[in-house]
Amino acid sequence: MNNTEQISTLRTDCLALDQQDPLAALRQQFQLPSNMIYLDGNSLGAQPKAALNRATQVIQEEWGMDLIKSWNKAGWFDLPSRLGNLLAPLIGAKAEEVVITDTTSINLFKAIAAALHIQSEASDATVRKVIITERSNFPTDIYMAEGLTRWLDRGYRLHLIDSPEELTSAINHETALVMLTHVNYRTGYLYDMASVTHLAHQHGALCLWDLAHSAGAVEIDLHSANADFAVGCCYKYLNGGPGAPAFIWVPQRHQAAFQHPLTGWWGHAAPFAMQPTFDATPGIRRALCGTQPIVSLAMIESGLDIFKQTTMAAIRQKSLALTDLFIQLVETRCASHPVTLVTPRQHQQRGSHVSFQHEHAYAIIQALIERGVVGDYREPGIMRFGFTPLYTSFTDVWDAAEHLRDILDRQDYRADIRRNAVT
Amino acid sequence: MNNTEQISTLRTDCLALDQQDPLAALRQQFQLPSNMIYLDGNSLGAQPKAALNRATQVIQEEWGMDLIKSWNKAGWFDLPSRLGNLLAPLIGAKAEEVVITDTTSINLFKAIAAALHIQSEASDATVRKVIITERSNFPTDIYMAEGLTRWLDRGYRLHLIDSPEELTSAINHETALVMLTHVNYRTGYLYDMASVTHLAHQHGALCLWDLAHSAGAVEIDLHSANADFAVGCCYKYLNGGPGAPAFIWVPQRHQAAFQHPLTGWWGHAAPFAMQPTFDATPGIRRALCGTQPIVSLAMIESGLDIFKQTTMAAIRQKSLALTDLFIQLVETRCASHPVTLVTPRQHQQRGSHVSFQHEHAYAIIQALIERGVVGDYREPGIMRFGFTPLYTSFTDVWDAAEHLRDILDRQDYRADIRRNAVT
């Protein structure tokens, strides 16, 4: 893909790329509508065909036939850690360090609370009161930190940076926690996890990574980056199903100190002893709280199974080829229109989605959707396109860019419509 | 059922009761194994046959064919409140007062936090620092209150009562919150919600009810009881599926003051405006936090639909008839054995499950399960049997009691086995 300009000129070149693509066959394991080019897997991953069978098994056999026995017999009780262990290799985690449970928001709350608790026991706790994050972070990350610090009412405050470059000057001896999303949901900017974590640690801060837009799309090695905590989403690139429970990673070195206020019975050392006093279980399961939605949880395995058939290196290689191609096609074929690339050009700073700014971004996205090209709109003025190497083809990229060109050339969009900000 | 002793003497009498039972036909709407008498619907409700179709529709059509569009087109985003409105009449709630979301544990956290916040603004806030609950409450209720108050570190403390009679002396001017489970998970004791709430209010306390073991089994009128907050479980008597998301009720009079620290984007007034500052939505949806597990959530509707075909009064009437019958059969037919009724005899103090104490309770429950009679064991020494009027028949009750009698008469259980308290 060193010479994308030449090879992408023709659709037949993209067909040839698909024929050479070692991941191409994996697309058959997904249910994808034949009349749709789906470029929104960074928001909701496509359906692994195996997911329906898995759900049917859980509903019909495990729930329907074995009922209450399935908590043990079908392993429902162990699902958060068993699935966490399946996910672990995709993010550079070790066994018994990840559980799949609750939502990303709730898991952020646990991790922020635990980080502040650890910092509150340090000798410099009285001055170490700042949580650094990005103003353009996904809002729920900021909201959860806001909600937690306001309630804790112990002088913690948020410092919102406006660009990654501000990190170096922002992190100092007052920083308790650096909390960043590895790949920005809007711009697709990919942080260098190891260097940011190193910088935070140099100043005595802890580092919490939200992998919502990177898990399953980008090579991640939490241990080599020496990260402190991570959370992430299973319904985007991991294809776990709509609203599938999220994950939380706590490395073994932090597990003993991992304390948070959401101390539900699933995090108890002996949940069925029915003791009136909470006694946190020693391992990663102390990040659990209440009873999990088993059908939605179980389907995550169908998504994870597909990753066993390839490597994150192969996925990343194709991801960069797809995003390179899309950037090159839009910038050459739509050159006469005011579309501005928002996503970094450098590979090491780019996740697996590409965003372009345009005054009529919302209307253009609607026009694309009407033609079956599904990307999405994000405030302010962003057209966002996600590329999922497991099922996105090079021809998809070519066709999507061609529809965009045609819509722009013909002004085939309703420039008067605006997004309803509520839904 | 005024003369249960006579009519229950023979199994044929139970068959006759089933023939006269106006709810009998509803059993056909559930998937129940033919070789099982299922008396554990208070732990995990049985599978409505419609649930598989609903899940298939969500997975195959909504997720598989419409993908991201389903958030609006299939109403995924509105599910927590739409299903909450369907549930509302079963608990005496009004429209736009209930959402189905997260877990009971997480919802307890939100409600306790909101109650303490309301009390913290009262003129007597410095002395009103006690949360009253039962030592025998379901542990997660206690754990969540413990976790929240320890973390807040503002002098709140738990007062655990050992019997319902202690409430009168326990509630006083220091009481911030009375937090009780409407029907005790172990004993089946049913609180008088209206009188306890009245007592709490007389002393300036708020009242939070956990309806886990009463919603769908007992007539509940939250408004006539003047309750302040309620949470509950959708996977027990509501038959929503294993680990189905839980519910939280906030009456309109408390919604404006309802504040909690789990301020995720689903509780924002404009979640897609992507603002960096949290602005709680005005209504019940401020009790939401993160993205919900759609397949598990959607299946709850299949359970709720069945309730539309009857009334809570009819369900309660049958529930009392079933539990009366079981108590009478066990106490007469097992009279020579040391089984002691733990559940109250008075109707107004009894939920929909019946518990007996026995030295070898765990071993006996295992022997019953081997014969296909599924109740469960709860510490310490409790055999627990749940009766779900939507699908439990009078003949089931007779057969279960007869198996119990036979097991006891023949000592057909392994008295040496003990429960593993971890799982």
Side-chain angles (χ1 to χ4, degrees), chain A residues 31-33 36 38 40 43-48 51-52 55-56 58-60 63-69 71-72 76-77 102-103 105-106 109 113 135 138-140 142-144 146-148 150-154 160 185 235 239-245 261-265 268-278 289-297 299 369 374 378-379 419 421-423, chain B residues 31 33 36 38 40 43-48 51-52 55-56 59-60 63-69 71-72 76-77 102-103 105-106 109 113-114 117 135 138-140 142-144 146-148 151-154 160 185 235 239-245 259-265 268-278 289-296 299 369 374 378-379 419 421-423:
Chain A
Q31 166 65 37
L32 286 164
M36 191 188 287
Y38 190 64
D40 214 358
S43 185
L44 172 64
Q47 187 223 110
L52 182 62
T56 301
V58 174
I59 297 167
Q60 200 77 323
W63 179 19
M65 299 308 289
D66 290 332
L67 289 130
I68 193 72
K69 298 177 191 175
W71 284 107
N72 290 310
W76 288 351
F77 197 69
D102 294 331
T103 64
S105 297
I106 297 290
F109 189 86
R135 195 181 309 281
F138 189 72
T140 214
I142 304 174
Y143 301 160
M144 295 310 291
E146 269 183 19
L148 186 146
R150 190 183 313 116
W151 274 74
L152 205 47
D153 194 23
R154 284 180 212 152
L160 303 183
Y185 80 101
Y235 59 78
N239 308 306
L262 300 175
T263 50
W265 71 307
H268 196 282
F272 288 93
M274 304 290 177
Q275 295 299 310
T277 305
F278 187 75
C289 179
T291 307
Q292 292 304 298
I294 297 300
V295 179
S296 285
L297 182 58
M299 285 195 300
I369 290 171
V374 179
R378 283 295 176 265
E379 295 287 353
R419 182 177 186 97
V422 176
T423 56
Chain B
Q31 166 66 38
M36 190 188 288
Y38 190 63
D40 215 356
S43 186
L44 174 63
Q47 185 223 109
L52 182 62
T56 301
I59 297 166
Q60 201 76 323
W63 180 20
M65 299 307 290
D66 289 331
L67 289 130
I68 195 71
K69 299 177 189 174
W71 284 106
N72 290 310
W76 288 352
F77 198 68
D102 293 331
T103 64
S105 297
I106 297 289
F109 189 85
H117 177 73
R135 195 180 309 279
F138 189 73
T140 215
I142 303 174
Y143 302 160
M144 295 310 292
E146 269 183 21
L148 175 72
W151 179 72
L152 279 179
D153 194 23
R154 283 176 214 154
L160 303 182
Y185 80 99
Y235 59 78
N239 308 305
Q259 291 185 31
H260 61 85
L262 301 175
T263 49
W265 70 309
H268 196 282
F272 289 93
M274 304 290 178
Q275 296 299 311
T277 304
F278 186 74
C289 180
T291 307
Q292 293 304 297
I294 296 301
V295 179
S296 284
M299 284 195 301
I369 290 171
V374 179
R378 283 296 175 264
E379 293 288 354
R419 183 178 185 96
V422 177
T423 57

Side-chain angles (χ1 to χ4, degrees), chain A residues 369-421:
Chain A
I369 290 171
E370 277 174 33
R371 291 171 176 228
V373 180
V374 179
D376 63 21
Y377 172 78
R378 283 295 176 265
E379 295 287 353
I382 296 276
M383 301 185 285
R384 191 175 71 156
F385 303 92
F387 300 88
T388 304
L390 295 179
Y391 53 77
T392 306
S393 70
F394 292 91
T395 322
D396 284 341
V397 174
W398 200 92
D399 290 342
E402 181 60 14
H403 276 292
L404 178 61
R405 184 203 57 71
D406 190 61
I407 286 169
L408 291 171
D409 283 353
R410 302 214 243 159
Q411 289 199 34
D412 185 21
Y413 54 86
R414 291 184 49 203
D416 57 317
I417 60 169
R418 285 285 178 277
R419 182 177 186 97
N420 173 348

Side-chain angles (χ1 to χ4, degrees), chain B residues 98-156:
Chain B
V98 184
V99 279
I100 301 186
T101 188
D102 293 331
T103 64
T104 304
S105 297
I106 297 289
N107 289 336
L108 282 163
F109 189 85
K110 298 169 191 165
I112 300 167
L116 296 186
H117 177 73
I118 290 171
Q119 294 288 24
S120 76
E121 306 212 319
S123 57
D124 58 357
T126 52
V127 294
R128 202 172 277 287
K129 292 289 193 182
V130 177
I131 299 173
I132 294 177
T133 189
E134 283 186 294
R135 195 180 309 279
S136 72
N137 199 347
F138 189 73
T140 215
D141 297 56
I142 303 174
Y143 302 160
M144 295 310 292
E146 269 183 21
L148 175 72
T149 54
R150 190 186 312 115
W151 179 72
L152 279 179
D153 194 23
R154 283 176 214 154
Y156 291 107

